[in-house]
Amino acid sequence: MQPFRPEVTARLAELAPLLLDQLDSMTDRMIDVLVRTEPAYRELLGHGEEEMRTTTRANLERGMQTLIGAANSNGRTSQRDARDVGRRRAAQGIPLEAVLRAYRLGGQVTWEALLEVSRHASREHDALLLEVAGSVWRTNDGECSAVAEGYREEQRRLAGVDDEARQQVLDGLLDGRGGDPAFVRTASELLAVPLAGRLVVVVAMPDPDGVPALDAPAADLLKRGVRSVWGVRSGAQVGIVALGQLPGCEVMAWLRGMAAGPVGLSAVVVGAPAAASAYRLAETAARTLPPGSGRVVTIDERLPEALLSNSPEISSRLIGQSLGGLLQLPDDEREVLLDTLAAFLASDGSPTRAADELFCHRNTVMHRLRRIESVTGRKLTDPRSRLLWQLALLGTEHRRPVQPRSA
């Protein structure tokens, strides 16, 4: 954008605070028009309104700042940002025609807001703004060209990245090549996924029939503005998700809406060098869940189970040593006693609360607990015995959740 004459620049500086105050209402107007007129944007908003609103507001604000500070504006930055928008919308599957209409709508909304604040500034006809009009539309046309350029670049990139190349890059990251700066740069460019920031690794186990636990997770997350790369490893779906500033709990909530099988998440890590260890944690978390369960858990939620699952020999010995003869009892008696032990431990060692959970008399619970002591050779009052029992029950997936007490 060419610098304006001094008197035009002064007028824009005078109107700038008023125009910036309209940013939220301008965003609302754009979102409203896009929802009503563009089916592709309507679908996108249905998957992630917050991302769309944030992007729209940022684009409008950038255009306004460029207009207001035309004498000092950086055209290269504006063009670069427009190309980024084009690439993002191409990856999200929005038709180019719809993207360009949305960009031109942004120019229209900005110009109309400028006229409106000018009228409210006690000037019915502001001839100085006529000089601004041409610059607004020239800038908008230039940015539309940059959007189209970025869009087509992303289309070419997506067409050139086949599943085999994507899997090779993913395998490299999970095998520990994230510490190689050259490899990470190539991977980021090839996949268009930022690997230098906050990441979380996801592992989703298939159901017993081999059906994937997550259906098209990359596309689903991208509609929410979140980039990721996915592949298959040891029969499981594996993804590296670039969080940006997004809280990990939001991605977890979205995955819960998709999951048809066990899904494990690593802790949030920073940078590609941590991807390999994050993968191991996510895989461990997923494998602590029973097959076929549509649950999504973080490794931090499953630390005791993870310890047991990573040491099967120790886990087996712990169960045998802790529960002892309980596991050799007839089925009916064994299940009753295991249920009673689980309820007792979940009730912080209170026979009365355990009886409430089991819908039986306290004396019945006491009788069963004495039987457990006799069969296992351990004492209910021994803290170490309680710890071993708790771990053993986790290892057998035999545990009873504590029901909330009524107020």
Side-chain angles (χ1 to χ4, degrees), residues 138-393:
R138 282 194 299 273
T139 300
N140 189 261
D141 285 344
E143 291 184 348
C144 282
S145 296
V147 166
E149 180 184 343
Y151 190 100
R152 294 187 180 107
E153 285 175 357
E154 181 68 6
Q155 283 187 317
R156 290 192 294 270
R157 188 197 66 78
L158 290 171
V161 181
D162 59 19
D163 290 340
E164 183 178 353
R166 186 179 295 107
Q167 184 69 52
Q168 287 177 350
V169 171
L170 180 64
D171 284 339
L173 291 168
L174 301 182
D175 287 336
R177 293 191 64 190
D180 178 351
F183 175 80
V184 173
R185 280 196 302 272
T186 301
S188 294
E189 292 170 3
L190 180 69
L191 302 171
V193 174
L195 297 171
R198 298 168 64 250
L199 307 171
V200 65
V201 177
V202 183
V203 174
M205 310 301 296
D207 72 8
D209 296 326
V211 177
L214 299 172
D215 182 20
D220 211 317
L221 290 172
L222 190 56
K223 288 178 179 177
R224 295 172 166 88
V226 178
R227 292 185 175 271
S228 58
V229 55
W230 292 79
V232 177
R233 197 171 174 93
S234 302
Q237 291 168 289
V238 181
I240 298 178
V241 181
L243 294 175
Q245 298 304 311
L246 193 71
C249 59
E250 286 198 30
V251 170
M252 187 173 183
W254 294 336
L255 291 173
R256 279 178 174 150
M258 309 177 206
V263 178
L265 272 70
S266 72
V268 176
V269 298
V270 178
S277 61
Y279 161 67
R280 292 191 292 272
L281 293 176
E283 183 187 38
T284 299
R287 293 190 184 281
T288 65
L289 295 172
S293 68
R295 294 179 58 190
V296 180
V297 295
T298 65
I299 184 62
D300 290 343
E301 293 177 276
R302 306 287 290 180
L303 289 176
E305 293 89 345
L307 286 171
L308 294 172
S309 67
N310 273 345
S311 303
E313 297 87 354
I314 294 177
S315 176
S316 176
R317 188 166 184 82
L318 184 148
I319 292 169
Q321 290 292 315
S322 303
L323 298 179
L326 271 180
L327 301 180
Q328 278 70 55
L329 294 174
D331 290 351
D332 289 347
E333 184 181 9
R334 180 184 68 241
E335 291 306 308
V336 166
L337 293 181
L338 287 175
D339 280 345
T340 301
L341 180 58
F344 173 74
L345 295 172
S347 301
D348 295 326
S350 168
T352 301
R353 285 179 57 195
D356 291 341
E357 298 294 334
L358 296 167
F359 301 103
C360 63
H361 196 278
R362 183 180 184 279
N363 289 343
T364 302
V365 171
M366 293 300 299
H367 172 74
R368 294 175 185 172
L369 293 174
R370 284 193 290 272
R371 173 72 169 145
I372 290 169
E373 286 185 321
S374 172
V375 172
T376 63
R378 297 184 177 278
K379 293 296 183 181
L380 296 168
T381 53
D382 178 17
R384 184 175 177 81
S385 292
R386 291 193 191 184
L387 173 61
L388 292 172
W389 279 332
Q390 191 73 268
L391 291 172
L393 290 173

